[in-house]
Amino acid sequence: MARQVHLEPGLSPAKWAGALSEALWSAADWVGCDAVRVERADPPELVPMLNATLAPPPSPNGP
């Protein structure tokens, strides 16, 4: 879980949501987490964008 995500002023949430999602999954993998969720973000509209892209990756062994 990422308690707070901050995007520098002037950067577009829509443009950076994908890169932030990849970075959060990379960090989660590094510490052995299998789920990622954002609680708060600045700007606030980033929360639903990130959480929509943070669905767990597909299992390599199928469903």
Side-chain angles (χ1 to χ4, degrees), residues 30-56:
W30 183 62
V31 297
C33 291
D34 60 359
V36 180
R37 178 174 54 96
V38 175
E39 290 184 343
R40 291 184 311 266
D42 182 19
E45 63 267 19
L46 192 55
V47 173
M49 285 182 195
L50 286 175
N51 284 330
T53 64
L54 288 171

Side-chain angles (χ1 to χ4, degrees), residues 3-19:
R3 294 222 180 255
Q4 176 81 28
V5 175
H6 175 78
L7 191 59
E8 290 295 319
L11 297 180
S12 165
K15 180 177 179 180
W16 290 98

